[in-house]
Amino acid sequence: MELYLDSANMKEIEEGFKLGFLDGLTTTPTFMQREGITDIDGTIVKLSKIVPVLQIEALGSTAEEIKKEALRQLNLGLDPKRTVFKIPVSLEGVRACKILRNEGLLVNVHLVYTLQQAYMAMHAGATYVCPLVGRLQDQGHDALTLVEQCVDAVNYYNYDTKIMFSSVRHNEHVRNAINIGVHTITVPLKVLKSLTENNFTQIGTEQFFRDTRMMMVKVKEAIRPVNPVVSSETTIKDALVKMTEYRFGTVIVTNKDGSVQGVFTDGDLRRLLQKDGDHVLNKKLKELEYKTPVSIDANALLNEAAALFKKTNVDNIMVTDGGKPCGMLDIQDLKND
């Protein structure tokens, strides 16, 4: 099934065709007017240079006028092998279709609302026949049955025509088109971008990234670019200031010789305040008692850190490099790159 973008917005068109596999672009005078385009010919020429196949309107009251307009547009420098002329279905429209097809030009007979209209376009040799699904459904008609009947007619009578599913409003329309077996679909960029989206896919992909990170990233690559170290001579009040500055709930307390005395956390602070009141804020950190801090080497993988967090049931682990503290690993750092 060919996949076309349906737009006249240059930013959308450039974004869509970066995918590299769209088959072409459909556009309309209404789209162009909506985008504020005044140089229609200039826009057509520009688009013809950036899309594989361009489908543009060839308007006229008679078949001769339609042919004249198509040839005028070709003379702008368009490639006849990569240009499809869109003609609204009518008696003169299908006559023009036959004339252009006899001259080897490509034609899309569109604005099709009935099987009879589609049949006339097929029999006139239309390259594409284009029912408008969204518009038909807006009017309460069974548009999907019409499209299916058009596909069946092409297949049954062996017409050299592709049925184009157009007026696409949402993701479900694309699924409908695939199920019916249409030959071509043209979709707005918003719908096109939604076709690969699925919540379960997103969840699974994120899990793969997290698991890969755990197996490949070292602890030193995950810790924040600060080393929350304070001297044991620091007061608890100043340690609290440092915690705020570092945006950590933990500081590493070191002795004068650089050895680690322990780790002081905001949990320790809350317990001291509850027990002894706010006068403890003027105490120095060296006056406190510490448990041996949980530590891990900076070159360990995050998987090892995760196992250590689980084993010790702590929220922070001291990271050492060559035996010296170089930072703290928060349990949240395992989740955030």
Side-chain angles (χ1 to χ4, degrees):
M1 184 172 71
E2 293 176 345
L3 179 59
Y4 273 69
L5 179 66
D6 197 22
S7 179
N9 181 288
M10 196 59 66
K11 288 184 178 179
E12 287 186 354
I13 293 166
E14 290 173 353
E15 181 180 353
F17 282 89
K18 281 181 181 178
L19 289 172
F21 58 78
L22 298 186
D23 294 288
L25 175 73
T26 55
T27 190
T28 68
T30 301
F31 285 173
M32 291 187 182
Q33 193 275 337
R34 191 181 299 156
E35 294 298 329
I37 293 170
T38 53
D39 182 7
I40 297 176
D41 286 351
T43 300
I44 288 172
V45 171
K46 183 177 181 179
L47 291 174
S48 71
K49 295 177 180 178
I50 62 177
V51 303
V53 176
L54 177 63
Q55 299 210 11
I56 54 173
E57 207 74 30
L59 293 173
S61 299
T62 65
E64 289 73 22
E65 288 178 0
I66 294 170
K67 176 184 175 181
K68 182 178 179 181
E69 174 62 10
L71 295 178
R72 185 194 72 80
Q73 291 177 321
L74 272 183
N75 288 334
L76 296 174
L78 304 184
D79 183 348
K81 295 181 179 179
R82 299 193 303 112
T83 306
V84 181
F85 295 102
K86 296 170 62 182
I87 302 173
V89 64
S90 68
L91 204 58
E92 286 299 299
V94 292
R95 189 164 74 88
C97 171
K98 180 61 175 175
I99 292 171
L100 294 178
R101 292 296 289 133
N102 285 345
E103 296 191 9
L105 299 179
L106 306 175
V107 176
N108 180 344
V109 176
H110 70 131
L111 295 180
V112 169
Y113 289 93
T114 70
L115 183 59
Q116 297 91 315
Q117 289 177 320
Y119 163 68
M120 290 291 279
M122 294 173 198
H123 208 61
T127 317
Y128 294 90
V129 168
C130 192
L132 280 76
V133 175
R135 291 193 190 181
L136 272 168
Q137 289 180 336
D138 290 344
Q139 298 167 24
H141 294 289
D142 187 355
L144 299 182
T145 296
L146 170 62
V147 176
E148 189 171 7
Q149 290 171 344
C150 290
V151 171
D152 289 344
V154 167
N155 295 337
Y156 184 81
Y157 293 108
N158 293 317
Y159 283 121
D160 189 19
T161 297
K162 297 175 181 177
I163 302 303
M164 174 179 278
F165 192 114
S166 69
S167 189
V168 170
R169 301 288 173 79
H170 44 69
N171 194 305
E172 182 71 7
H173 273 158
V174 180
R175 189 181 70 81
N176 296 147
I178 296 168
N179 285 338
I180 291 170
V182 299
H183 311 96
T184 308
I185 189 169
T186 182
V187 301
L189 183 65
K190 182 179 179 181
V191 174
L192 180 68
K193 291 168 70 174
S194 75
L195 296 180
T196 57
E197 294 176 359
N198 182 276
N199 183 54
F200 291 119
T201 301
Q202 182 179 351
I203 291 171
T205 302
E206 290 171 355
Q207 183 67 52
F208 290 157
F209 274 112
R210 286 196 300 270
D211 291 342
T212 300
R213 180 172 180 267
M214 295 294 286
M215 293 183 288
M216 296 186 67
V217 175
K218 294 181 178 180
V219 169
K220 64 183 178 183
E221 299 170 46
I223 59 176
R224 302 172 209 182
V226 294
N227 190 3
V229 174
V230 296
S231 165
S232 60
E233 295 293 327
T234 304
T235 64
I236 293 176
K237 181 189 295 184
D238 290 337
L240 177 59
V241 172
K242 283 294 181 183
M243 285 183 191
T244 305
E245 179 184 330
Y246 290 137
R247 296 184 180 180
F248 266 99
T250 306
V251 289
I252 302 168
V253 183
T254 60
N255 298 311
K256 288 182 179 181
D257 62 2
S259 62
V260 176
Q261 183 173 349
V263 173
F264 183 70
T265 70
D266 53 7
D268 295 329
L269 174 61
R270 287 193 297 272
R271 284 186 287 272
L272 284 170
L273 288 172
Q274 188 176 18
K275 179 182 176 183
D276 300 325
D278 59 10
H279 70 275
V280 298
L281 293 175
N282 294 317
K283 273 190 176 184
K284 292 186 176 181
L285 294 174
K286 67 180 182 181
E287 301 175 48
L288 305 179
E289 292 184 5
Y290 299 95
K291 297 178 181 178
T292 302
V294 177
S295 64
I296 192 168
D297 188 83
N299 289 303
L301 293 172
L302 290 183
N303 258 344
E304 299 172 61
L308 190 56
F309 273 118
K310 186 175 181 180
K311 179 180 177 181
T312 58
N313 198 30
V314 295
D315 292 330
N316 296 277
I317 296 176
M318 183 175 69
V319 181
T320 60
D321 189 3
K324 294 182 179 180
C326 62
M328 293 293 296
L329 183 71
D330 189 278
I331 195 167
Q332 292 300 319
D333 295 329
L334 298 181
K335 302 175 183 178
N336 303 319
D337 197 352

